[in-house]
Amino acid sequence: MGVADVLLQAVVVLGAAVLVVFLSARLRLPVVVGLILTGMLIGPSGLALIEDVAQVEVFAEVGVVLLLFIIGLELSFSEVRGLGRVFALGGPLQIAITGAAVFGLGIAAGLDWRTALFAGFVVAQTSTTVMLKVYEQRRETQAPHVKVGMAVSLFQDLTIVPLIVLTPVVAGAADASPAELAIRFVGALAAVGLVAFAARFLMPRVLDQLARVRARELLVLAALFVCLAAAVFTESLGFSFALGAFLAGLLISETEYSHQVVADIVPFRDVFTSLFFISIGMLVDLGFAFERLPVLAGLALVLVAVKAVAGVAAVALVGYPARIAVVAGVATAQIGEFSFVLMEVGRSYGLLAGPGYQMVLVTAVLTLLLYPLLVRWAPALGERVARWRGGESAKAAGEDGEELSGHVVVVGFGVNGSLMCRVLSAAHIPYVVVELNPTTVRAAHRRGVPILFGDASRPEILEGAGIRRARVVVFAISDLAGVRRSVRLARQLNPELEVIVRTRMLRDVDDLRQAGADDIVAEEFEAAIEIFTRVLERYRVPRNVIRTQTRLLRDETYRMLRVAAPSPRASAAAIEALGQGATDLYLVGDGSRAAGRTLADLDLRRRTGASVIAVVRGERSVPNPSPQVALQGGDVLVLVGGHQEVDRAFAFLDGEEAPGEERPEAAADEQTAAPSAG
């Protein structure tokens, strides 16, 4: 095949990919689905625009290597340690339950035990990429069920390497005696140990020397060299290219240059992995798929149900409430991109061939197509299961919260919730926390925090927290859908309750207001207010003016920032006040230039342009003070003037200007100036 033929194939593949992925995005389908559909459209069984699939598969293999390299880069040993019980227990449980169920179904269907076991490997994988994409569109990436699902999915991502290593053993292509298996895994462990040693001692020093050259291309070339060299090395040892690429990514992830390497490599990764999924689509036999579509659709539904049940069971066994377990279990119910990687490996060893390969391939694609619908239906299903399991939640009722009255109910014990509880404790205000992370609940119990385990969208849990007798409830969680349900429920149980809600995005304010929230704090907006407040303070804009401006911005629940053009009348008063000058307070210290001197001695107005309009001493305020008032340590001077004039007054009182220094403009109009206390 000549250069012209290769370029023509590239034009066809990329052009079709742009069109189909664009349409998929419009239809809110995952990008992976769009790429697979592209391959099906242009492949041998479709329009036959590409007939030589082998050429595309070469690029696809490189894409798999880069994909695993990026996963290793984005994963660090410290992150794995921080994922907790869901990762360490939920992930293995989900894989074990799914694998066992699929193995049993395969044996019942008459499959060879090797093929049935390998099918369990394939079905157990979940697409982290597709999960994130779908939940990003739903603005739920910070919700607890998504975090739980991501922890389970991340464990599955890590299993891809040992599963690739095991595939030839399962296929019988490698000697499966205990001694050979031991040698094989000891070799893998030795490789991991070598990577850990290099990541800690060697690679940071090497990359540091390369970075000192300040040539961006050098760092990219070095990263690609490490990736491909490690892939070739592990393949030569009898493992796979993917294992070496993954270990190379882990090696670099422990250095301070990992983020830059990811930023530089991701475009290459995206192109090559896109080709991988397109090549998967080309391998689909559309005639086979349409001929057996009812059977394949039924099989896809069965596998989705198996994965969902396995996920629900795994999350529930870790200790999460029923609603979260159901939604998180459904989040892991599709068959992921690494399943396609495993399928290719299994096909090369004869585990999947002919109709069997096509059946698994088409079924996996159908689960991806079903996934957005499953995610949409999951919350309602979770609610039904939670109502059915109502007795489970009721066990949390009857704790400390029953004895309280007029207290605060804090939902969520993350950064915001724990800080809120510290402040409430310091102010001696009673409170009860509701949290659905069992690990967090156990840790808080050990510290003596009054905390209930459960889902705040369940009435039994809110009753257990004493919601009917509470004065305020604060929702400090990121699950927008869960917060809406919980706010409505809290309002029903206690119509007099003050409901305060935290949300990340300003666009969610209207939904939460309609749900019944009284006060809504949008982190996106409050960060903007804090920034401009600090800027205005640096220019000594009076605090009352700053408060007026922030109050106007907060009026009507941030409406000024959510409409295209704020009403000029609404902010005119604040804008006018911003230009009128500054008012500030100066505390006279014992070592200040003002201590022991009279206002006449200081002569602030002539020297700086600012005037003293009041002196506060203890609990007593003296407005329009006499020029003969002697100042002393602890007095507070109320200064007025322009921004620069108040700045000069502060500098003068702090001793940063010579006492005899005058403003030139003040000397010019000294004769006409009215007598002033300052």
Side-chain angles (χ1 to χ4, degrees):
M1 181 178 290
V3 175
D5 294 327
V6 173
L7 290 178
L8 179 60
Q9 283 197 355
V11 168
V12 171
V13 170
L14 295 178
V18 169
L19 177 61
V20 177
V21 172
F22 172 78
L23 294 175
S24 299
R26 286 286 189 180
L27 297 173
R28 295 185 174 275
L29 293 174
V31 173
V32 172
V33 174
L35 294 170
I36 294 173
L37 291 175
T38 301
M40 295 166 63
L41 177 67
I42 66 176
S45 64
L47 299 177
L49 299 178
I50 302 292
E51 296 183 355
D52 189 1
V53 181
Q55 293 293 326
V56 179
E57 286 182 328
V58 172
F59 294 105
E61 290 294 332
V62 177
V64 173
V65 169
L66 289 177
L67 180 62
L68 284 165
F69 179 58
I70 292 291
I71 287 176
L73 275 174
E74 294 176 337
L75 180 69
S76 67
F77 295 115
S78 57
E79 287 179 347
V80 172
R81 289 194 299 268
L83 288 173
R85 287 168 55 86
V86 182
F87 175 84
L89 297 179
L93 282 172
Q94 197 271 354
I95 289 178
I97 296 171
T98 302
V102 172
F103 178 77
L105 289 173
I107 294 298
L111 295 179
D112 176 73
W113 73 268
R114 297 178 186 274
T115 303
L117 181 60
F118 182 74
F121 291 173
V122 170
V123 174
Q125 298 297 311
T126 297
S127 174
T128 306
T129 304
V130 172
M131 185 190 304
L132 275 178
K133 188 67 176 177
V134 170
Y135 280 105
E136 276 176 4
Q137 293 173 346
R138 294 174 58 86
R139 306 195 316 240
E140 294 181 16
T141 54
Q142 297 299 317
H145 54 267
V146 179
K147 292 181 178 178
V148 170
M150 286 298 297
V152 172
S153 179
L154 182 57
F155 183 88
Q156 294 170 357
D157 289 347
L158 287 179
T159 63
I160 184 63
V161 172
L163 290 179
I164 289 174
V165 172
L166 276 174
T167 297
V169 177
V170 173
D175 192 341
S177 69
E180 290 293 329
L181 283 176
I183 292 173
R184 193 172 181 83
F185 278 98
V186 167
L189 289 175
V192 172
L194 181 62
V195 166
F197 173 79
R200 186 172 182 84
F201 299 106
L202 299 181
M203 189 53 65
R205 291 174 172 81
V206 172
L207 291 181
D208 183 62
Q209 292 300 317
L210 295 177
R212 290 175 186 272
V213 179
R214 297 184 179 275
R216 179 179 175 182
E217 297 82 358
L218 185 59
L219 202 59
V220 178
L221 291 172
L224 287 174
F225 167 76
V226 172
C227 168
L228 299 178
V232 171
F233 175 69
T234 54
E235 198 275 338
S236 67
L237 293 179
F239 296 103
S240 67
F241 290 112
L243 175 61
F246 178 76
L247 294 178
L250 272 182
L251 190 151
I252 297 177
S253 73
E254 294 300 309
T255 71
E256 61 188 32
Y257 304 104
S258 60
H259 297 293
Q260 183 61 47
V261 172
V262 169
D264 292 333
I265 297 295
V266 159
F268 297 98
R269 187 278 311 266
D270 290 342
V271 171
F272 284 109
T273 52
S274 296
L275 289 174
F276 170 74
F277 288 116
I278 291 172
S279 71
I280 291 296
M282 290 181 185
L283 295 174
V284 173
D285 186 338
L286 293 179
F288 177 91
F290 286 123
E291 183 181 341
R292 299 168 176 81
L293 187 58
V295 174
L296 295 174
L299 180 59
L301 290 174
V302 169
L303 293 182
V304 163
V306 167
K307 289 204 69 176
V309 170
V312 171
V315 175
L317 287 172
V318 173
Y320 279 87
R323 183 181 70 87
I324 298 299
V326 169
V327 182
V330 171
T332 64
Q334 26 84 356
I335 296 177
E337 61 263 29
F338 285 135
S339 298
F340 298 112
V341 177
L342 269 178
M343 277 187 254
E344 288 300 294
V345 176
R347 188 172 69 138
S348 66
Y349 285 104
L351 284 171
L352 291 176
Y357 175 80
Q358 285 295 322
M359 184 170 291
V360 176
L361 179 64
V362 176
T363 302
V365 172
L366 289 176
T367 65
L368 291 175
L369 292 172
L370 284 171
Y371 187 62
L373 293 176
L374 296 174
V375 169
R376 189 180 306 167
W377 297 333
L381 179 61
E383 282 293 313
R384 290 187 178 183
V385 173
R387 284 196 295 270
W388 178 61
R389 293 291 305 275
E392 169 199 53
S393 297
K395 295 177 183 177
E399 299 211 19
D400 309 18
E402 284 193 336
E403 305 299 326
L404 297 176
S405 181
H407 58 289
V408 178
V409 176
V410 180
V411 179
F413 201 62
V415 174
N416 289 282
S418 58
L419 181 60
M420 168 66 65
C421 294
R422 286 175 56 189
V423 174
L424 292 174
S425 294
H428 303 290
I429 297 174
Y431 67 90
V432 174
V433 180
V434 177
E435 170 61 53
L436 52 75
N437 186 325
T439 304
T440 301
V441 171
R442 282 190 292 269
H445 265 308
R446 288 194 293 268
R447 301 201 305 269
V449 175
I451 188 168
L452 297 177
F453 168 72
D455 184 354
S457 68
R458 302 298 306 144
E460 297 87 354
I461 296 300
L462 289 181
E463 292 277 11
I467 197 72
R468 294 184 187 274
R469 299 177 303 280
R471 183 174 178 181
V472 178
V473 60
V474 178
F475 289 94
I477 57 177
S478 301
D479 181 1
L480 180 61
V483 168
R484 283 197 296 259
R485 288 191 295 270
S486 302
V487 167
R488 292 192 188 98
L489 179 60
R491 180 64 69 201
Q492 291 170 5
L493 295 175
N494 185 350
E496 304 300 320
L497 190 67
E498 182 77 12
V499 180
I500 302 174
V501 178
R502 183 213 76 181
T503 183
R504 291 182 176 273
M505 307 301 292
L506 196 62
R507 60 192 176 193
D508 299 329
V509 168
D510 286 336
D511 288 344
L512 294 170
R513 175 69 73 187
Q514 291 173 5
D518 296 302
D519 263 335
I520 304 164
V521 180
E523 292 180 0
E524 179 184 38
F525 177 68
E526 293 300 328
I529 283 186
E530 182 64 22
I531 290 170
F532 88 66
T533 297
R534 295 191 183 193
V535 171
L536 294 181
E537 285 176 347
R538 296 297 185 275
Y539 286 93
R540 300 194 185 284
V541 174
R543 289 186 179 89
N544 63 313
V545 175
I546 297 175
R547 284 196 298 270
T548 300
Q549 183 71 9
T550 56
R551 186 172 63 252
L552 287 170
L553 288 173
R554 288 190 175 107
D555 276 350
E556 299 180 10
T557 320
Y558 308 155
R559 186 172 301 278
M560 290 178 67
L561 288 188
R562 288 185 287 118
V563 296
S567 168
R569 186 186 307 173
S571 56
I575 293 173
E576 181 182 355
L578 290 175
Q580 288 178 347
T583 302
D584 214 330
L585 304 178
Y586 179 83
L587 175 64
V588 179
D590 292 334
S592 169
R593 173 177 283 170
R597 304 178 68 180
T598 66
L599 292 174
D601 292 336
L602 294 174
D603 201 7
L604 276 181
R605 181 172 179 181
R606 187 166 62 87
R607 288 191 167 103
T608 68
S611 298
V612 178
I613 62 171
V615 176
V616 180
R617 180 171 295 166
E619 300 296 326
R620 181 168 169 263
S621 175
V622 181
N624 300 317
S626 165
Q628 304 308 316
V629 170
L631 303 176
Q632 60 189 38
D635 287 349
V636 176
L637 308 183
V638 182
L639 302 172
V640 295
H643 302 305
Q644 294 182 352
E645 292 169 338
V646 172
D647 280 341
R648 278 196 295 267
F650 268 72
F652 174 72
L653 293 170
D654 287 337
E656 297 177 12
E657 296 182 30
E661 191 172 324
E662 298 181 1
R663 292 188 309 118
E665 63 270 26
D669 53 54
E670 180 179 1
Q671 299 300 322
T672 60
S676 169

